[in-house]
């Protein structure tokens, strides 16, 4: 059954106002967490205050809590692997990948720190049988926000906020601007820094080929293709409406 049925929430098409309200909820969560986060003044990015090995351990702890709360997530202790050629991989626009032949969850460590906990949790969700991209995105959010670590929670809220904000950009520009200024200056600088970072990789032949291959793979496996990554906003809206 689908994730919305497992969670007991009513997933459907959402309005711009619903996107706006959910984005504001997430901005409140970000405001609660960001003061304990350290930022690099020169780069504009926040700094993950521990190693990848420690991140993995913290995510395992968060998954343990989530497994107790959501019985459809199997309890499993595993490790997320760092991609050796992360910088070249960035040209494909792939921040993480689950290798189903070997059962390995992998993350691209060339991406900014604030994306890493959420991306790692996403790939670990695939490892636990959550196949659809939108559902893996939302399970990653549910898991990360259960963490007792500030930076992992910050990663969850900011990444989900970005999904909603991007959806609002197309739906209602006034709501988009209001939500943009609802988060702290440091977070706005971080999002701007991410955009500047990605300029180098934004348009290239490798990305075009990778996008086509990934879209075809996801479509063959019964999803809406790469579009399904952003469909997590429907789940987020339904989830917070049910709270």
């Amino acid at each position: 059954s689908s994730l919305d049925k497992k969670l007991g929430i009513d997933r459907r098409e959402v309005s711009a106002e619903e996107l706006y309200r959910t984005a504001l909820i997430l901005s409140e969560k970000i405001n609660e967490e960001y003061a304990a986060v350290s930022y690099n003044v020169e780069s504009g990015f926040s700094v993950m205050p521990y190693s990848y090995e420690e991140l993995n351990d913290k995510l395992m702890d968060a998954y343990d809590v989530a497994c107790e709360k959501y019985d459809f997530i199997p309890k499993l202790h595993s490790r997320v692997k760092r991609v050796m050629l992360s910088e070249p991989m960035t040209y494909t626009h792939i921040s993480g990948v689950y290798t189903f032949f070997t059962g390995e969850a992998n993350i691209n460590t060339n991406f900014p720190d604030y994306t890493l906990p959420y991306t790692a949790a996403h790939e670990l969700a695939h490892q636990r049988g959550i196949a659809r991209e939108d559902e893996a995105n939302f399970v990653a959010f549910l898991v990360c926000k259960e963490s007792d670590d500030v930076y992992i929670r910050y990663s969850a809220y900011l990444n989900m906020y970005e999904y909603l904000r991007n959806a609002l950009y197309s739906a209602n520009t006034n709501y988009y601007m209001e939500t943009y200024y609802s988060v702290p200056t440091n977070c706005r600088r971080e999002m701007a820094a991410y955009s500047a970072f990605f300029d180098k990789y934004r348009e290239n032949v490798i990305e075009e080929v990778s996008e086509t291959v990934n879209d075809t793979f996801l479509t063959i496996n019964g999803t809406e293709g790469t579009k399904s990554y952003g469909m997590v906003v429907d789940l987020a809206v339904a989830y917070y409406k049910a709270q």
Side-chain angles (χ1 to χ4, degrees), residues 13-198:
E13 290 188 11
V14 299
S15 67
E17 184 174 357
E18 288 172 324
L19 288 170
Y20 170 67
R21 289 175 178 173
T22 308
L24 288 182
I25 292 172
L26 289 167
S27 69
E28 289 177 7
K29 299 292 186 181
I30 292 168
N31 275 279
E32 292 172 5
E33 305 288 0
Y34 92 99
V37 174
S38 297
Y39 296 86
N40 184 309
V41 176
E42 292 184 5
S43 70
F45 287 121
S46 59
V47 180
M48 187 170 72
Y50 35 72
S51 68
Y52 294 104
E53 288 72 22
E54 290 173 295
L55 169 63
N56 195 97
D57 291 342
K58 290 174 182 294
L59 286 175
M60 290 303 101
D61 290 341
Y63 261 101
D64 282 348
V65 175
C67 288
E68 294 296 325
K69 192 170 183 177
Y70 306 107
D71 59 7
F72 57 85
I73 303 177
K75 193 165 187 178
L76 169 69
H77 276 210
S78 59
R79 304 204 72 77
V80 64
K81 294 181 66 177
R82 287 174 280 171
V83 174
M84 184 179 297
L85 300 176
S86 284
E87 209 276 340
M89 185 180 179
T90 311
Y91 285 96
T92 68
H93 296 187
I94 294 174
S95 58
V97 61
Y98 173 63
T99 310
F100 61 88
F101 292 112
T102 60
E104 294 174 327
N106 307 272
I107 56 168
N108 179 340
T109 57
N110 187 51
F111 276 78
D113 282 3
Y114 83 94
T115 68
L116 299 180
Y118 181 75
T119 299
H122 172 109
E123 302 308 332
L124 290 167
H126 283 320
Q127 197 177 53
R128 286 153 180 75
I130 310 298
R132 294 174 59 95
E133 296 301 333
D134 54 339
E135 295 188 356
N137 266 342
F138 198 67
V139 166
F141 172 74
L142 293 176
V143 168
C144 288
K145 77 183 190 68
E146 293 293 339
S147 176
D148 61 4
D149 181 79
V150 169
Y151 197 72
I152 291 177
R153 295 196 304 270
Y154 173 80
S155 175
Y157 292 130
L158 186 55
N159 278 276
M160 187 59 66
Y161 166 84
E162 286 187 298
Y163 274 115
L164 285 151
R165 191 174 69 95
N166 290 339
L168 271 175
Y169 183 79
S170 301
N172 186 301
T173 54
N174 289 331
Y175 283 157
Y176 169 82
M177 292 307 299
E178 286 185 40
T179 56
Y180 178 73
Y181 287 105
S182 67
V183 296
T185 301
N186 283 337
C187 298
R188 298 201 300 271
R189 289 186 68 231
E190 177 139 71
M191 290 185 288
Y194 179 87
S195 181
F197 156 83
F198 208 69

Side-chain angles (χ1 to χ4, degrees), residues 198-237:
F198 208 69
D199 282 343
K200 175 182 177 181
Y201 310 98
R202 200 173 300 280
E203 295 181 6
N204 61 82
V205 174
I206 297 173
E207 181 275 329
E208 292 175 4
V209 174
S210 173
E211 168 77 12
T212 301
V213 171
N214 196 25
D215 185 70
T216 301
F217 172 78
L218 293 174
T219 302
I220 289 173
N221 282 275
T223 77
E224 291 78 5
T226 52
K227 181 179 70 174
S228 63
Y229 289 101
M231 291 172 62
V232 68
V233 298
D234 299 347
L235 287 167
V237 170

